[in-house]
Amino acid sequence: EDLKLRSNLLRAESAWNGDVSESVSVSVGLNVEHRRGRNTLLEDLTPGGGEGEVNALALPLALATFTGLYGEARWRATPSLTVTAGMRGDIWHLQGAKERRSGDARLGVRYAVNEAVTLKAGAATVHQGPTILFNVPVADVSLLQYGLQEAALVEGGVEARLLSELDLSVDAYYSHLTRALELDLLRVVENARTLGLFAHSLSTWGRAYGIAIMLRHPLGRNWFGWASYSLQRATRYETFTRFDEQLNPLERVSAELPFAFDQTHVLNVALSYQFSGNFTAGVAVHFNTGRPESGRISSRTMKEWTDPATGFDSWRAVNRDELARLPSFLRIDARVAKRWLFNDYRIEAYLDLLNASFSQEVFGYHYERESRGADWTRPRRKVPIEIPVVLPMLGVKGDY
């Protein structure tokens, strides 16, 4: 048998921007997106697997159309104060499911204290379709039958010019997810097997908040660079069962736990320098602390355990509120490029090397229980699952 998955996407958008007065500008637009996913099963009907008649069975997995209408107005109230307000309405149509409709609003304010300092604040409500932690084409669209995700966001910050060559940006944000629908493949399969009996329990709520700091040097004196740091937190409300050492259920509890992709600290630094002859070399450094070992993406945190009946050393899963975190990760990327300038166009050849440091990120652990043979014994082991993802990219691009 040969199983194929095909996804087609058609998108169209129309927009208009203009000034209605000296202080007010308006933009409106309409976008339409059509997605079609098809599952094709080819089966050889000849016994023994030889060449013979082939039967094609085409099953549409998802047939969806999304339509959105938006409008935004920007008001320059004073030379220092700018107010931006916008609205968006969407229709989410999935064939065979209830049609969903959503309305979003946003408001932003910027106030220039002086030429060097600007204050900013904003608030918004947003909707989006369900997500799968490991994205599977078409599957995320088919999950629209379970409804939309909803969130409300507020943020505030300051932008400042330092020393005439450095730009500083500090932003704080808080997002309240009133309805989160983020599924791993296991939950998707389990819900399909039960014919949707557990669909009502797939959604939850959560929060995301933090502060982001960026220091940027615009292109000048042949170099460009920036550094950003984020201190952040992402949580989801979960209901789970606590177990004792013998895996006997103790109680059913609910708690706000770290999200599967939660990383407390994230640091990025990038530097680029242009040499004579239009040669450019750059380096980027990425660092993040580890995410929870929740089992929703890779492994689930285990603790040491000895079987009282056999005496074998093994492992037992910890409770959901006792999860450990994976190790921190540091990666260095590099780039070199050569540019040729002509009267009407330019050509650039480049080499990007993702993970030039050959760093190995730990994605999870493999927990091996104790093994005993006639003449040997292998102890219980916790083996990291790490892959050095190194990706060189050589290319040429032109601009006219």
Side-chain angles (χ1 to χ4, degrees):
E1 296 181 355
D2 184 14
L3 179 64
K4 296 181 180 180
L5 181 64
R6 174 178 295 179
S7 178
N8 297 321
L9 171 63
L10 296 175
R11 180 185 293 121
E13 181 172 355
S14 178
W16 177 86
N17 303 285
D19 296 330
V20 297
S21 70
E22 292 184 356
S23 60
V24 178
S25 59
V26 174
S27 63
V28 293
L30 171 69
N31 51 48
V32 179
E33 182 176 302
H34 179 76
R35 294 188 184 184
R36 177 187 296 267
R38 185 172 294 276
N39 174 25
T40 303
L41 176 64
L42 301 178
E43 183 179 8
D44 192 338
L45 300 181
T46 304
E51 294 184 0
E53 183 181 356
V54 176
N55 177 37
L57 176 62
L59 300 176
L61 294 180
L63 185 60
T65 302
F66 312 136
T67 305
L69 177 65
Y70 63 89
E72 181 181 272
R74 177 173 296 182
W75 176 38
R76 294 174 291 276
T78 69
S80 300
L81 178 64
T82 301
V83 180
T84 303
M87 292 287 296
R88 179 182 179 92
D90 287 277
I91 299 177
W92 312 71
H93 177 77
L94 175 66
Q95 185 177 16
K98 178 182 177 181
E99 186 174 86
R100 312 284 178 173
R101 302 189 178 192
S102 63
D104 299 325
R106 73 184 189 94
L107 178 67
V109 179
R110 293 178 62 89
Y111 180 76
V113 180
N114 50 48
E115 293 183 356
V117 178
T118 299
L119 303 178
K120 54 186 179 180
T125 58
V126 294
H127 291 80
Q128 72 173 50
T131 55
I132 300 181
L133 299 186
F134 266 135
N135 188 32
V136 178
V138 181
D140 55 346
V141 178
S142 64
L143 293 178
L144 276 173
Q145 58 187 303
Y146 303 130
L148 301 174
Q149 299 188 88
E150 303 173 350
L153 169 70
V154 292
E155 60 181 355
V158 57
E159 297 175 355
R161 171 62 61 91
L162 306 177
L163 304 177
S164 74
E165 292 185 347
L166 292 177
D167 295 328
L168 174 66
S169 176
V170 180
D171 295 280
Y173 67 91
Y174 175 84
S175 178
H176 191 87
L177 287 76
T178 54
R179 190 174 193 268
L181 192 54
E182 302 147 324
L183 309 179
D184 53 49
L185 290 178
L186 179 60
R187 296 189 70 188
V188 173
V189 172
E190 287 178 345
N191 192 68
R193 288 176 176 174
T194 60
L195 302 179
L197 293 178
F198 299 124
H200 67 280
S201 62
L202 293 178
S203 64
T204 183
W205 64 269
R207 297 188 293 171
Y209 50 92
I211 184 170
I213 304 173
M214 173 177 281
L215 189 63
R216 180 177 178 272
H217 185 283
L219 181 61
R221 298 184 182 181
N222 293 329
W223 74 280
F224 165 81
W226 56 268
S228 66
Y229 167 74
S230 296
L231 175 63
Q232 56 192 15
R233 180 77 164 173
T235 64
R236 298 294 184 270
Y237 186 79
E238 297 186 27
T239 299
F240 58 95
T241 302
R242 283 201 181 101
F243 296 87
D244 62 14
E245 295 291 334
Q246 306 303 321
L247 288 185
N248 297 313
L250 295 177
E251 57 181 341
R252 189 73 171 166
V253 296
S254 297
E256 192 176 353
L257 303 178
F259 181 45
F261 285 104
D262 178 55
Q263 295 173 327
T264 305
H265 305 279
V266 178
L267 174 67
N268 290 285
V269 179
L271 291 173
S272 179
Y273 188 85
Q274 181 173 316
F275 298 90
S276 59
N278 288 322
F279 279 97
T280 302
V283 63
V285 179
H286 170 81
F287 170 82
N288 65 260
T289 51
R291 56 177 173 78
E293 191 187 3
S294 63
R296 300 194 66 185
I297 303 173
S298 56
S299 62
R300 167 76 176 271
T301 304
M302 300 283 183
K303 60 183 177 182
E304 297 180 351
W305 178 77
T306 301
D307 190 334
T310 63
F312 278 84
D313 292 334
S314 187
W315 303 91
R316 282 284 171 89
V318 303
N319 291 314
R320 294 290 301 171
D321 54 352
E322 299 173 345
L323 298 175
R325 287 183 177 264
L326 298 174
S328 300
F329 176 64
L330 174 67
R331 187 190 77 227
I332 301 176
D333 305 329
R335 176 186 174 93
V336 292
K338 164 66 175 176
R339 181 177 297 176
W340 293 271
L341 301 177
F342 302 92
N343 290 333
D344 298 324
Y345 61 93
R346 62 183 179 181
I347 298 176
E348 183 181 62
Y350 61 90
L351 172 63
D352 287 337
L353 185 57
L354 178 68
N355 195 12
S357 57
F358 289 82
S359 304
Q360 298 193 66
E361 183 175 8
V362 177
F363 293 94
Y365 291 97
H366 180 58
Y367 294 88
E368 298 179 350
R369 57 167 291 175
E370 178 187 19
S371 296
R372 298 177 186 176
D375 302 317
W376 58 274
T377 299
R378 185 182 69 186
R380 170 180 50 199
R381 296 191 305 167
K382 178 181 178 181
V383 182
I385 303 172
E386 49 189 0
I387 304 174
V389 179
V390 181
L391 182 61
M393 293 174 286
L394 179 63
V396 177
K397 68 177 182 179
D399 296 322
Y400 179 78

